[in-house]
Amino acid sequence: MRIITGRYKGRHFDIPRSFKARPTTDFAKENIFNVLTQYIDFEGATALDLFSGTGSISLELVSRGCAHVISVEQDRDHHRFITDCLKKLDTDVCVPLRGDVFRFVRSCKQQFDFIFADPPYALKELPTIPSLIMEKGLLKEDGIFVFEHGKDYDFSGHPNFIEHRYYGSVNFSLFRPSHQG
């Protein structure tokens, strides 16, 4: 796993073979971040990475200058791996939390400029996640939510949906809060 760009560009981290998590491919990650540059300036932004897995997205966000990143991962070994990677970067910008994403989202009172979620594709609650994020008001008014999912899902009918991108077998749906007025 490598960091694509920013302060830590090119840094590599070896993922243990025993991991169940599948990091977003470098190809897909690079392309979705290229798309995101038209929506958000990561420098100084606050970000939330849900179902962090290997921490690939959290590390990328730190490298791109986010002021504060919260990384939520339930698996003990994955959480430890993320924590170790952050120690190697010697950064305190990212807070790796070990816990249930749904419990975190329900209790979170903070708003973010950027939220990324990459749940296991077989997760039965997967289709509910975009609505949950929007209903809880976790995004700032101009914030952006990127949801990685399998090809069997279509969120284009969601009221906050703005676009869909896919790179190989990786699908991303992008959402924004509704603007009133």
Side-chain angles (χ1 to χ4, degrees):
M1 171 179 85
R2 76 179 170 96
I3 297 176
I4 305 293
T5 198
R7 180 176 177 192
Y8 303 108
K9 178 181 181 175
R11 291 287 298 266
H12 284 265
F13 299 91
D14 293 324
I15 300 167
R17 293 186 188 277
S18 62
F19 272 26
K20 299 178 291 284
R22 43 161 182 67
T24 302
T25 65
D26 284 353
F27 175 74
K29 184 168 61 170
E30 186 167 10
N31 279 288
I32 195 62
F33 272 97
N34 286 342
V35 169
L36 289 171
T37 60
Q38 64 187 304
Y39 291 106
I40 184 171
D41 179 3
F42 289 104
E43 190 67 42
T46 56
L48 175 61
D49 181 12
L50 300 172
F51 306 97
S52 301
T54 62
S56 171
I57 298 299
S58 292
L59 296 173
E60 193 69 38
L61 292 167
V62 168
S63 185
R64 288 170 185 258
C66 282
H68 185 66
V69 179
I70 295 177
S71 175
V72 183
E73 173 54 46
Q74 187 164 358
D75 184 276
R76 181 191 69 226
D77 294 335
H78 296 187
H79 174 264
R80 185 180 309 118
F81 179 77
I82 295 166
T83 301
D84 290 346
C85 290
L86 291 166
K87 284 179 186 167
K88 288 175 186 169
L89 295 181
D90 193 26
T91 181
D92 61 358
V93 170
C94 183
V95 177
L97 300 178
R98 182 171 170 236
D100 178 77
V101 164
F102 295 100
R103 186 174 295 140
F104 175 86
V105 167
R106 284 192 295 272
S107 65
C108 184
K109 304 293 184 226
Q110 187 175 350
Q111 284 192 313
F112 300 89
D113 298 300
F114 179 73
I115 300 174
F116 186 91
D118 180 11
Y121 288 2
L123 186 73
K124 69 177 174 33
E125 299 93 346
L126 185 146
T128 68
I129 294 171
S131 291
L132 180 64
I133 296 294
M134 295 302 156
E135 288 164 9
K136 288 296 178 184
L138 297 182
L139 276 176
K140 292 181 181 175
E141 185 177 328
D142 291 328
I144 186 99
F145 170 45
V146 175
F147 189 48
E148 184 174 334
H149 56 86
K151 65 179 177 5
D152 296 335
Y153 293 96
D154 177 4
F155 293 97
S156 61
H158 191 282
N160 301 99
F161 175 86
I162 53 173
E163 83 173 274
H164 172 258
R165 297 288 178 120
Y166 64 94
Y167 307 99
S169 62
V170 181
N171 287 262
F172 296 103
S173 289
L174 282 65
F175 303 85
R176 277 219 134 130
S178 299
H179 295 286
Q180 304 299 323

